[in-house]
Amino acid sequence: SGLGETGRFLWDISRGYAEIYRKFDGIDGFCIHDVAAAARLVSPELFSIQRATLGVRISGGEAGHSFVGADDGRPEQQYCDGVVAEQLVADFTDAIASFANDMEQTKRSNGF
């Protein structure tokens, strides 16, 4: 099914994060960074998008932190400042469950 194919894609792009969180933090779970980026393409209504100039602090205690409102002639960029997180997670888990169901049906039809 289409949802199962989506689930496979989401499963594939999230495995690296799952392994990193498990290995380094002992957590059986992960942040869905890449999943959220993919979801933005198919469910843009879940995301609040703004436009502004963006910058990154290069020194001091906040080095590496991004900020809105860089005043150095940079062009405006789009950035996400909100997401309907509950729906994003529900859509992700539904797609993964559909993929798992498709895999189980494939195993059964192949005699496994």
Side-chain angles (χ1 to χ4, degrees):
S1 73
L3 191 56
E5 292 170 12
T6 300
R8 177 177 195 86
F9 173 73
L10 297 175
W11 178 262
D12 289 345
I13 68 172
S14 62
R15 294 306 83 210
Y17 285 118
E19 291 303 316
I20 288 169
Y21 278 84
R22 187 175 297 111
K23 179 178 179 180
F24 293 103
D25 299 318
I27 297 171
D28 189 20
F30 54 95
C31 295
I32 55 175
H33 306 290
D34 290 351
V35 170
R40 170 70 171 98
L41 297 173
V42 296
S43 299
E45 70 279 2
L46 297 179
F47 299 83
S48 173
I49 303 297
Q50 303 297 325
R51 290 188 63 81
T53 55
L54 305 175
V56 177
R57 306 253 185 250
I58 59 173
S59 63
E62 293 187 347
H65 292 204
S66 57
F67 65 96
V68 175
D71 190 21
D72 59 3
R74 297 174 200 215
E76 286 189 343
Q77 303 293 320
Q78 289 186 12
Y79 68 97
C80 176
D81 70 343
V83 62
V84 182
E86 299 81 11
Q87 188 63 50
L88 176 64
V89 171
D91 290 351
F92 172 66
T93 56
D94 288 350
I96 295 296
S98 181
F99 165 59
N101 186 45
D102 286 356
M103 291 300 295
E104 189 61 34
Q105 288 178 0
T106 299
K107 285 180 185 179
R108 281 191 214 130
S109 66
N110 289 332
F112 293 107

